[in-house]
Amino acid sequence: MQTDQFMGDQKAMHRKSDSLRRFTGTAENFGSWTGHMIDHMGKVHPCWRQVLNWLAATDDPLDFPSIQHAVLGPFNENARDLAIKFEQVIVDWIPEKLYLRRAQLAGGKHEEGNGFAMWRRLHKEFRGEGQIIDYAGTTCLREYGRCKQLKDVSQHIDGWYELFDQFGKELEHAHHMTRGMFLDIIPQELRTEILKEPKLNNSGHRALAEWCRNRVLILTSEHLAEVRKKELTARGKIGSLQEAAESSSVPDMSDSPDWARHLFAAVQPLIAAAAVPPVAAIQAPPRRPTGPGRRSSPQRSRSPGSRVSLVPDWGNKCFHCGSDKHTREKCDKFKAMLKSAACNQGKPESQWKPPEGYKSAIGKARDAARALLG
């Protein structure tokens, strides 16, 4: 028989385990800590679970003289030896303030090392006993709140039954009372469904609890199915777009003969250019009003076609100086020339015109283009 099958195996008791938690020293944490401790000791040997639950609630004497000749477990191990070994496990998982009280928690100096007595003492200090605890428990059961969200129903019901099994045992056969208590803790929508369902009119609280869990499972599954449906629908649309894009992509010419690949390479730029949407033509800025009776300068061409055909790359450059930073309407040099021209002296600005023989930058560019064309 292997050593770790015995309840008193010290190595198994101290073996690192995810079940072990350090006690914080507060009543709120005590229930969780003792549960993890019982789980760990149950892995050492299953009998520890029953023994620890009994030790926490028993009124039998647990001092060393009383357990000196007692035996525990299927191997009839000495209870005093097991108590000492268990105390060595407990003190590793309690806070410093309790560690310094380890002798008193065990029953005094003469009982130091008594883990059984320490275990019961911790339960009395942090869980309580007697009528005061019973009253607090029944009050919590009676005032247990209503669950607000469907996703929390199962956890909420489990919490209610934890109180009910401990403090409501005498109500187990009070059918109408417990049914009413249960209906008060579930969400209103589930309560409405239960009251409308004739088959549930005579169901007790435990049958209703099972119905609620199944109903929430169905509602949750329907919600998840709807979410999944939306995901698949969206994925299908994206897949269709990807297939369309792939169908219009460049074909693979690696297996084609040389003449076909050369021909495709020659026409590919034309195909790509044809696929590009046309760009709207840039409209020329509107001309400044000339005023009644005013005629444009004879040097200024009124035909946009001549500018486009002779100087196609002129763009939005200034007609006067050729700068690409501004237009002629904002050209300081053009305004200075008009102001200094003899023909404009004594006239208002609205009547200014270029002097006779004036040649603009764009005019010079057109003349140069005509000379090249012969």
Side-chain angles (χ1 to χ4, degrees), residues 45-354:
H45 195 284
C47 287
W48 272 112
R49 185 175 299 274
Q50 180 181 359
V51 169
L52 293 180
N53 286 328
W54 175 78
L55 290 173
T58 185
D59 292 327
D60 292 350
L62 297 177
D63 55 278
F64 279 146
S66 299
I67 63 174
Q68 179 68 38
H69 302 291
V71 293
L72 291 174
F75 309 110
N76 296 324
E77 296 179 74
N78 184 268
R80 187 179 188 279
D81 293 341
L82 291 178
I84 294 174
K85 293 177 180 180
F86 183 53
E87 191 265 356
Q88 293 173 357
V89 176
I90 293 178
V91 296
D92 285 340
W93 301 98
I94 58 177
E96 188 68 13
K97 61 181 180 180
L98 293 179
Y99 179 85
L100 297 176
R101 295 173 50 202
R102 61 187 295 186
Q104 297 304 317
L105 289 174
K109 193 67 176 176
H110 59 287
E111 289 290 323
E112 185 174 4
N114 190 335
F116 290 170
M118 179 184 290
W119 181 254
R120 181 171 65 179
R121 175 70 178 276
L122 290 173
H123 277 76
K124 288 183 177 181
E125 285 198 14
F126 293 98
R127 177 161 287 181
E129 61 179 355
Q131 294 182 356
I132 296 178
I133 299 301
D134 291 339
Y135 175 76
T138 54
T139 300
C140 291
L141 179 62
R142 184 174 62 253
E143 298 178 352
Y144 201 79
R146 182 184 298 277
C147 182
K148 303 297 183 182
Q149 298 183 349
L150 290 176
K151 66 182 182 65
D152 299 328
V153 164
S154 186
Q155 180 180 353
H156 196 74
I157 292 176
D158 289 344
W160 186 76
Y161 271 114
E162 186 174 349
L163 290 173
F164 186 86
D165 292 340
Q166 187 172 359
F167 302 105
K169 281 296 185 180
E170 66 277 8
L171 301 175
E172 183 65 46
H173 301 290
H175 176 78
H176 293 290
M177 180 180 293
T178 53
R179 175 184 167 88
M181 293 172 64
F182 182 82
L183 291 176
D184 287 339
I185 70 166
I186 59 176
Q188 187 64 43
E189 53 194 298
L190 292 182
R191 177 181 178 177
T192 301
E193 288 191 50
I194 290 174
L195 295 178
K196 289 182 178 180
E197 179 57 59
K199 296 180 181 180
L200 299 177
N201 286 344
N202 297 320
S203 299
H205 60 92
R206 296 194 183 274
L208 293 180
E210 189 64 24
W211 181 90
C212 286
R213 290 190 176 98
N214 292 333
R215 181 58 178 157
V216 170
L217 182 61
I218 293 174
L219 294 175
T220 304
S221 299
E222 291 176 350
H223 172 71
L224 294 177
E226 188 64 25
V227 172
R228 183 61 174 167
K229 180 181 177 181
K230 292 180 179 179
E231 292 178 352
L232 293 176
T233 301
R235 188 179 301 175
K237 292 181 179 179
I238 296 174
S240 299
L241 294 176
Q242 290 177 342
E243 290 178 2
E246 291 173 356
S247 64
S248 61
S249 61
V250 178
D252 184 11
M253 302 291 292
S254 58
D255 295 333
S256 302
D258 292 342
W259 66 267
R261 282 188 277 112
H262 291 312
L263 177 61
F264 181 79
V267 300
Q268 182 60 27
L270 301 178
I271 297 174
V276 177
V279 179
I282 301 177
Q283 297 182 355
R287 297 180 179 275
R288 293 174 57 186
T290 58
R294 180 177 178 183
R295 299 183 63 183
S296 301
S297 171
Q299 287 79 8
R300 184 184 303 172
S301 173
R302 289 187 175 274
S303 173
S306 62
R307 293 199 301 269
V308 174
S309 59
L310 294 175
V311 195
D313 59 344
W314 189 267
N316 289 325
K317 296 180 182 179
C318 176
F319 289 169
H320 173 70
C321 67
S323 173
D324 58 356
K325 304 298 183 182
H326 57 263
T327 60
R328 189 176 65 177
E329 286 75 10
K330 298 181 180 181
C331 182
D332 294 335
K333 294 181 180 179
F334 182 68
K335 292 180 180 179
M337 181 202 69
L338 293 177
K339 184 177 181 180
S340 61
C343 60
N344 295 328
Q345 300 301 315
K347 296 181 180 180
E349 185 176 353
S350 60
Q351 297 180 7
W352 288 356
K353 61 181 180 179

